[in-house]
Amino acid sequence: MSDHPTDFVGSIPDAITHGIQTKIPDAVVSVKGGGGHYTIEVVSPVFAGKSMLESQRLVLGSIKHLINGAAPPVHAVDSLVTRVP
C-alpha cells in the first residue's frame, strides 16, 4: 500500500460502505485496505441477472464521490467482487 494524500476526515472504509448501502440498501459490504487502495466485496440480490461489468459499475457509481477530485480518499479499488447471496 502507498501513502495516498487526501483531505478526507473520518473512516474511509465506513464511507465506502455507507456510499454502497445508500445505493444498494440490502448490500452486505466488506472493505479492506488503506493508503488509498481498497478491496471491496458486495453481496446483494440486486446483482441477479446482471453481468459482472453491470454489477461493478453499480458499486463504483455509488462511491464515485470518494474516487473523484483533487485529493480523493480512494485512489484505487484493487479488487471488486460482487455476488448474489
Side-chain angles (χ1 to χ4, degrees), residues 7-26:
D7 53 6
F8 183 85
V9 177
S11 168
I12 298 169
D14 287 349
I16 292 170
T17 299
H18 176 73
I20 294 168
Q21 289 178 332
T22 297
K23 183 115 180 186
I24 310 169
D26 63 357

Side-chain angles (χ1 to χ4, degrees), residues 18-64:
H18 176 73
I20 294 168
Q21 289 178 332
T22 297
K23 183 115 180 186
I24 310 169
D26 63 357
V28 176
V29 182
S30 171
V31 180
K32 296 178 180 138
H37 292 254
Y38 295 90
T39 298
I40 304 170
E41 181 175 343
V42 184
V43 180
S44 172
V46 77
F47 302 132
K50 290 185 172 38
S51 70
M52 181 175 59
L53 183 58
E54 290 171 323
S55 298
Q56 290 180 345
R57 282 182 177 159
L58 182 62
V59 172
L60 291 173
S62 69
I63 61 168
K64 67 182 174 187

Side-chain angles (χ1 to χ4, degrees), residues 1-4 16 32-39 73-78:
M1 282 183 249
S2 65
D3 182 30
H4 177 71
I16 292 170
K32 296 178 180 138
H37 292 254
Y38 295 90
T39 298
V74 178
H75 174 69
V77 176
D78 296 330

